[in-house]
Amino acid sequence: MEMRNRINLELRNRAPEEVTQLVLDNCRCDNGEIEGLNDTFKKLELLSMINVDLRSLARLPNLNKLRKLELANNRISGGLEVLAEKCPNLTHLNLSGNKIKDLSALEALQNLKNLKSLDLFNCEITTLEDYRESIFELLQQITYLNGFDQEDNEAPDSGSEDDEDGDEDDEEEDEAGPFEGYEEEEEEEEEDEDEDEAGSELGEGEEEVGLSYLMREEIQDEEDDDDYVEEGEEEEEGEGEEKEEEEEESVRGEKRKRDAEDDGEEEDD
């Protein structure tokens, strides 16, 4: 897709002066130059033209509010003086993957007084000895080169500012009081706690019932043992009575025998 058509698509029925961010990555430039981008984009703060086969910045319009310019993976080798003229408030510049070979190509960036971050990944200049020290010395206004400062501290993420804004919003919410439905959640939690306490009481009651049941079983076992002893005693008593009856019968038998013998003797007389 040509850059002009891509710009019209990105507008989405908006006026150019209303647009603050414009992403034109991977579209095709006309003869390696910017076409379709003009001075009407007065509020543009972010412009991304990655991998668009861009060779020159000569047709870059005046973008006084532009803060971040992404130009990675193009064919730019020089002509950076245009940036100070057209984008004087630029703070972030990404020239990674371009044809930047030496320090002289970067001298024009000295006029970008607000420039804080510069990316030169995969540029030929990065093969020079001590290129980082040379660039920090040349462009003393920048803080980060390829994402790190002179002490090799990594640059903060671009979303860190958004996170700070989010923290401020949280503080405002705290000051304003709890959000709607907060009391309902507390009531639900109290109900859950009551249910847990009721459940724990029920568990204790069940435990007491179980102990009582076991105690009753032990009492029943003792009663059964007593019954068994009594039954044993009754059997022993029965056996004693039978022995006494047998002894009495044997005595009566001997008496009858003696009586019979006495009768026989009387008959003989």
Side-chain angles (χ1 to χ4, degrees):
M1 180 182 294
E2 293 184 358
M3 183 170 289
R4 183 185 296 275
N5 295 333
R6 178 65 175 274
I7 292 174
N8 292 333
L9 180 63
E10 290 293 325
L11 286 176
R12 300 173 186 175
N13 298 322
R14 294 175 298 174
E17 56 270 17
E18 298 175 353
V19 178
T20 58
Q21 298 184 2
L22 189 60
V23 179
L24 306 175
D25 300 346
N26 302 312
C27 65
R28 190 175 70 229
C29 285
D30 185 13
N31 295 323
E33 295 184 352
I34 301 170
E35 184 178 5
L37 191 64
N38 52 51
D39 295 343
T40 58
F41 290 85
K42 296 178 180 181
K43 295 184 179 180
L44 199 62
E45 296 179 2
L46 183 150
L47 175 61
S48 183
M49 295 187 293
I50 298 174
N51 190 33
V52 297
D53 197 31
L54 185 64
R55 302 178 186 181
S56 173
L57 296 174
R59 297 180 64 177
L60 187 69
N62 292 315
L63 302 172
N64 290 329
K65 291 186 176 296
L66 194 67
R67 297 290 185 271
K68 189 171 184 178
L69 180 59
E70 297 281 347
L71 298 174
N73 300 331
N74 286 292
R75 300 186 181 186
I76 299 171
S77 59
L80 300 181
E81 61 275 0
V82 175
L83 294 176
E85 178 184 351
K86 303 295 182 66
C87 311
N89 294 307
L90 204 63
T91 59
H92 293 75
L93 176 62
N94 186 356
L95 292 171
S96 301
N98 280 276
K99 306 296 182 179
I100 309 297
K101 298 181 179 181
D102 49 46
L103 290 173
S104 60
L106 300 177
E107 289 180 356
L109 299 181
Q110 291 177 330
N111 295 322
L112 288 172
K113 303 301 182 181
N114 296 317
L115 188 65
K116 300 299 180 184
S117 177
L118 175 64
D119 290 324
L120 296 170
F121 289 109
N122 298 324
C123 289
E124 191 173 338
I125 191 175
T126 60
T127 62
L128 300 178
E129 185 178 358
D130 298 330
Y131 85 95
R132 284 180 57 82
E133 290 79 1
S134 300
I135 293 176
F136 275 118
E137 184 178 354
L138 176 67
L139 305 175
Q140 297 184 9
Q141 79 273 32
I142 69 171
T143 304
Y144 300 103
L145 176 61
N146 295 341
F148 292 87
D149 64 14
Q150 296 188 61
E151 286 74 30
D152 289 333
N153 296 314
E154 189 173 4
D157 294 334
S158 58
S160 60
E161 296 179 358
D162 297 335
D163 294 338
E164 292 177 356
D165 294 338
D167 294 339
E168 292 177 358
D169 293 339
D170 294 338
E171 292 177 358
E172 291 177 357
E173 288 181 359
D174 293 338
E175 293 176 357
F179 56 85
E180 294 181 359
Y182 179 77
E183 295 180 357
E184 294 179 359
E185 290 184 359
E186 284 190 343
E187 292 177 357
E188 292 177 357
E189 290 178 357
E190 291 177 357
E191 290 177 359
D192 293 339
E193 291 178 358
D194 294 339
E195 291 178 357
D196 293 339
E197 291 177 358
S200 62
E201 292 176 357
L202 179 60
E204 293 175 358
E206 291 176 351
E207 185 177 357
E208 292 177 359
V209 170
L211 292 173
S212 301
Y213 179 76
L214 293 174
M215 293 175 67
R216 285 200 298 273
E217 281 191 348
E218 292 177 358
I219 295 170
Q220 186 66 36
D221 292 340
E222 292 177 358
E223 292 177 354
D224 293 341
D225 292 340
D226 294 339
D227 294 340
Y228 178 75
V229 172
E230 291 176 358
E231 289 176 358
E233 292 176 354
E234 290 176 356
E235 290 178 357
E236 291 178 356
E237 291 176 357
E239 290 176 356
E241 291 175 355
E242 290 177 358
K243 289 180 181 180
E244 291 178 356
E245 290 177 356
E246 290 177 356
E247 291 177 355
E248 291 176 357
E249 288 179 359
S250 63
V251 170
R252 284 194 295 270
E254 290 179 357
K255 185 177 182 182
R256 284 194 298 271
K257 185 177 180 181
R258 286 194 298 270
D259 290 340
E261 289 178 352
D262 293 338
D263 291 340
E265 290 177 355
E266 290 177 358
E267 288 176 359
D268 290 339
D269 293 338

